[in-house]
């Protein structure tokens, strides 16, 4: 019984734990320590060619960030084959900044600055 309860506790924990990455500790704009209270949500959705590319992306989204940023909507950013518009992937993460000015700089050109988020 004790063992079963432990297994249930693990299952409950893993279903509640968010898959999101932890907040970055360094502001990508100023290079100063980031304030967890000053954040932006970055999200970009692009089309891929098939479910295989989709699961490949979803396994390690960060590894494909530069592919996502250079996606042109014609070629799959993973395989370079023609995209299927019904198959999409989304890169999303929350970014923390040192101050409001840094957040404003990021928000003005998120695609340019998302690459500067180190962790
Ligand atoms: Zn594919």
């Amino acid at each position: 019984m004790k063992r079963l309860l432990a297994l249930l506790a693990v299952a409950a924990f893993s279903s509640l734990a968010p898959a999101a990455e932890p907040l970055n500790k360094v502001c990508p704009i100023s290079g100063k320590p980031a304030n967890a209270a000053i954040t932006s949500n970055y999200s970009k959705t692009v089309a891929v060619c098939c479910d295989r590319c989709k699961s490949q992306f979803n396994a390690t989204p960060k590894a494909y960030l530069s592919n996502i940023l250079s996606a042109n909507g014609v070629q799959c950013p993973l395989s370079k084959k023609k995209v299927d518009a019904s198959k999409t992937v989304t890169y999303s993460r929350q970014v923390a900044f040192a101050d409001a000015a840094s957040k404003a700089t990021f928000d003005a050109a998120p695609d340019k600055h998302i690459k500067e988020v180190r962790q």
Side-chain angles (χ1 to χ4, degrees), residues 59-77:
T60 51
K62 190 161 186 163
Y64 297 104
L65 176 59
S66 56
N67 302 53
I68 294 303
L69 289 169
S70 60
N72 58 15
V74 179
Q75 282 183 309
C76 171

Side-chain angles (χ1 to χ4, degrees), residues 4-55:
L4 179 64
L5 283 175
L7 285 173
L8 287 172
V10 168
F13 179 76
S14 49
S15 63
L16 288 173
E21 294 178 69
L23 272 176
N24 51 304
K25 299 269 188 289
V26 177
C27 174
I29 307 299
S30 69
K32 292 175 190 165
N35 179 342
I38 305 170
T39 62
S40 280
N41 283 302
Y42 177 87
S43 179
K44 193 176 181 73
T45 300
V46 301
V48 294
C49 64
C50 64
D51 287 328
R52 222 178 120 220
C53 291
K54 199 171 165 169
S55 40

Side-chain angles (χ1 to χ4, degrees), residues 51-113:
D51 287 328
R52 222 178 120 220
C53 291
K54 199 171 165 169
S55 40
Q56 201 178 326
F57 172 85
N58 287 330
T60 51
K62 190 161 186 163
Y64 297 104
L65 176 59
S66 56
N67 302 53
I68 294 303
L69 289 169
S70 60
N72 58 15
V74 179
Q75 282 183 309
C76 171
L78 276 76
S79 72
K80 305 296 173 203
K81 291 179 191 159
K82 194 172 182 294
V83 299
D84 174 344
S86 70
K87 314 261 183 219
T88 59
V89 297
T90 300
Y91 178 88
S92 68
R93 74 160 294 162
Q94 202 178 19
V95 183
F97 306 96
D99 46 51
S102 297
K103 175 177 154 57
T105 302
F106 180 90
D107 289 344
D111 283 356
K112 180 181 166 202
H113 297 296

